[in-house]
Amino acid sequence: MFTHIPFDYNEGWNAYLSERAVGLVPAPLYPDPHNSLIFNNYPPLSFYLVGWLGYAIGDMVWAGRILALSAWFGTVILIFRLILQTGGNRLGAHIGSLIFALYSSYFFHSYIAMNDPQWMAHFFMLLGLSAIIQKQTALRITTAAAFFIIGGLIKHNLLALPLAVTGWLFIRDKKMALLWVTLGLAGIIVSTIGFNALYHNHFMIEDILHHKRVITLCRIKKALGRLAIFLPLIILSASFLKKNIRLAKTSPKGLLAIFASLSLFFGIFESLGEGVSCNAFFESLIAFSLIAGLLFSNRLTDCRFLSLVIVVVLPILIRPTFSQVLLKYNLQKEKPQWNEYHLREEKQQWEEVISQIKMIKSPVICDISEICYWAGKDYKLDFFNFYQAVKRGASLDPLNKAIVTPVPNSMIRITLANKNPTYSPLWKIIMSYPHRYKRISPHVEIIEITGQKK
């Protein structure tokens, strides 16, 4: 966590915008999406939370990692609590929270302590769920709505749980459901108006609701591949889903059944968007971990208990074997080397790169933006979102203007193993200008624009 090793290109994006949120950089949190190289399609709250902590400790990336890890641990605790609240016993609660911890730390480990707001949003929404899952009163509904609104102001595309709660409340108690919907809509409207007034423009709503992301059915294979991780849990939960959706009016287990079903739908749909990672299925992981905890809470014979354990951990048992086959037949590019020596070596390499970038006097663009952030350089280009906008028909004029104003200009091109997305069309435009470049590490090269096109 506390190194200058880049985890993901999204970390620097969040760090730069957190600086803007707390006023450390005199630039808008929501720039004009039509005339800027910077985009912000996230709600504002996470940038303030990370920004305040980052201001205190002096590093926005580290602040985001601390909050992400804390929220992940909080989610583990809330899963344990929710299993007990919905009728499970302590054994089932331990197993359900352990399943969540195993799956997320094994398959989705890069998100656990990464500067990304996803786990913060899940944590607040699960706090809200915990408030109403056993008993629904006006006070509890109000408390839950407040937590859900906070979660939505951190990450706006977590839809399965809010919709599941809404449907479940209408099935159980229409009066409480109307209060829930009224409070939710009022909170969203007031929050949106308040934040929008704070920025003195309409760009927040425009960039969040009309963000230019490429969505294509060609990604359905990748979406189903991610879904395969949950296949044993889905098979294990099939009878639970069928039984408890019908009993939603009398049991909170029905809410979990609705939640799990919706999470699969939204996980597949969101995965069709370019740049969407495995986090599209985090709601599914939470829902099926809760259900697994309830299933393990039943009185089981030893044989059935052991067979359920094997089914649940099957993906974790299979993956190492599958990876070894890929390595043997050269179908996987490199073997993971995350050990103490490798970390020390990586840390030293990146520190040297950051030191060299600090010494560059001209403006710098990094496609792994946390490197430029640690080097103290201004945020110049949001590679991913600008590339998405261009693919949706946006003009290249802002990029061309940035390249030639001023000249010379330096672009830091960073290739980070398989983690770095391909922005080759943008680099092709940049390198069409007269330039020279030199490699300063195994992963990094500096491209210096030396003049304008003739």
Side-chain angles (χ1 to χ4, degrees):
M1 282 175 59
F2 304 113
T3 69
H4 288 158
I5 298 175
F7 290 172
D8 184 275
Y9 64 93
N10 207 34
E11 282 201 306
W13 182 84
N14 281 289
Y16 275 119
L17 292 176
S18 297
E19 282 191 324
R20 294 183 177 207
V22 295
L24 291 178
V25 174
L29 182 59
Y30 290 93
D32 179 359
H34 301 292
N35 299 297
S36 175
L37 296 174
I38 310 299
F39 298 77
N40 184 2
N41 61 313
Y42 278 17
L45 187 54
S46 69
F47 303 117
Y48 290 95
L49 297 176
V50 173
W52 291 328
L53 180 58
Y55 180 79
I57 68 174
D59 191 305
M60 296 293 172
V61 175
W62 293 359
R65 291 175 179 178
I66 290 169
L67 290 175
L69 181 61
S70 300
W72 180 81
F73 275 119
T75 303
V76 174
I77 293 168
L78 284 170
I79 286 173
F80 182 92
R81 177 176 172 80
L82 284 162
I83 291 170
L84 294 178
Q85 288 180 307
T86 46
N89 60 27
R90 293 185 67 84
L91 173 63
H94 279 296
I95 292 175
S97 56
L98 181 61
I99 287 170
F100 169 81
L102 281 173
Y103 270 67
S104 56
S105 60
Y106 190 78
F107 293 106
F108 316 127
H109 57 86
S110 63
Y111 269 86
I112 289 178
M114 185 175 83
N115 180 19
D116 184 272
Q118 181 96 20
W119 287 123
M120 284 190 281
H122 286 301
F123 172 73
F124 281 107
M125 288 192 177
L126 289 180
L127 271 179
L129 179 61
S130 181
I132 58 171
I133 193 110
Q134 283 183 304
K135 190 177 181 181
Q136 298 83 48
T137 64
L139 178 60
R140 287 175 176 268
I141 291 289
T142 304
T143 302
F147 282 129
F148 270 76
I149 290 166
I150 291 171
L153 289 171
I154 292 173
K155 197 79 189 291
H156 62 295
N157 62 338
L158 306 186
L159 301 175
L161 185 54
L163 289 177
V165 170
T166 303
W168 181 68
L169 286 174
F170 270 106
I171 292 170
R172 286 175 68 87
D173 188 332
K174 287 185 173 58
K175 184 179 177 181
M176 289 294 107
L178 288 172
L179 176 62
W180 164 264
V181 171
T182 302
L183 289 170
L185 291 176
I188 292 168
I189 291 169
V190 170
S191 301
T192 302
I193 292 173
F195 277 116
N196 206 47
L198 181 64
Y199 307 128
H200 306 292
N201 59 51
H202 62 281
F203 298 143
M204 182 186 82
I205 298 173
E206 184 176 356
D207 208 1
I208 292 174
L209 297 183
H210 300 286
H211 184 63
K212 292 184 177 180
R213 184 182 295 275
V214 176
I215 298 175
T216 172
L217 283 173
C218 296
R219 291 176 55 84
I220 190 68
K221 183 179 178 181
K222 181 169 285 190
L224 295 176
R226 290 169 180 162
L227 186 63
I229 294 170
F230 301 101
L231 197 56
L233 289 174
I234 294 170
I235 294 171
L236 183 69
S237 306
S239 60
F240 178 96
L241 298 179
K242 184 177 179 180
K243 175 183 176 182
N244 286 285
I245 285 179
R246 294 199 303 266
L247 300 176
K249 188 170 184 177
T250 59
S251 170
K253 294 177 183 177
L255 169 56
L256 300 185
I258 298 169
F259 175 32
S261 303
L262 288 175
S263 73
L264 294 175
F265 169 78
F266 284 111
I268 293 171
F269 176 75
E270 290 177 15
S271 293
L272 300 181
E274 290 189 3
V276 177
S277 186
C278 54
N279 58 324
F281 285 100
F282 284 1
E283 285 190 300
S284 297
L285 176 58
I286 292 169
F288 284 101
S289 296
L290 290 168
I291 291 171
L294 291 172
L295 292 173
F296 278 105
S297 295
N298 294 333
R299 295 179 181 275
L300 303 171
T301 63
D302 288 342
C303 290
R304 189 180 173 200
F305 182 87
L306 289 174
S307 62
L308 286 177
V309 171
I310 292 171
V311 168
V312 166
V313 300
L314 198 59
I316 297 173
L317 297 173
I318 289 174
R319 184 172 172 178
T321 305
F322 184 64
S323 296
Q324 290 299 319
V325 172
L326 293 178
L327 284 167
K328 181 177 179 181
Y329 293 101
N330 297 317
L331 297 176
Q332 187 168 303
K333 290 185 178 180
E334 59 179 339
K335 188 175 181 178
Q337 299 177 10
W338 286 108
N339 53 49
E340 188 177 347
Y341 171 77
H342 182 247
L343 282 172
R344 285 200 306 268
E345 187 180 37
E346 282 278 293
K347 180 181 176 181
Q348 183 179 354
Q349 286 179 359
W350 288 114
E351 292 286 2
E352 291 172 358
V353 168
I354 292 165
S355 296
Q356 292 191 53
I357 295 173
K358 280 182 180 178
M359 294 186 291
I360 298 173
K361 302 298 182 183
S362 58
V364 173
I365 296 174
C366 298
D367 58 8
I368 299 294
S369 53
E370 59 260 57
I371 297 301
C372 270
Y373 168 78
W374 283 319
K377 300 298 182 181
D378 293 336
Y379 197 25
K380 295 293 184 182
L381 173 61
D382 179 348
F383 268 84
F384 173 75
N385 284 313
F386 183 72
Y387 182 37
Q388 290 286 292
V390 169
K391 291 180 77 171
R392 292 281 302 273
S395 171
L396 286 168
D397 289 344
L399 177 61
N400 287 317
K401 184 178 179 181
I403 292 172
V404 300
T405 310
V407 173
N409 206 346
S410 293
M411 317 286 175
I412 308 304
R413 183 173 184 174
I414 299 174
T415 304
L416 186 58
N418 293 324
K419 296 181 182 179
N420 189 32
T422 301
Y423 306 119
S424 53
L426 294 188
W427 280 116
K428 188 175 180 181
I429 294 166
I430 292 169
M431 296 178 71
S432 66
Y433 287 82
H435 66 276
R436 58 175 176 262
Y437 67 91
K438 65 176 180 178
R439 185 168 294 278
I440 60 174
S441 88
H443 300 298
V444 181
E445 62 185 10
I446 293 181
I447 301 167
E448 182 180 342
I449 305 300
T450 57
Q452 298 190 21
K453 295 178 182 178
K454 295 181 179 180

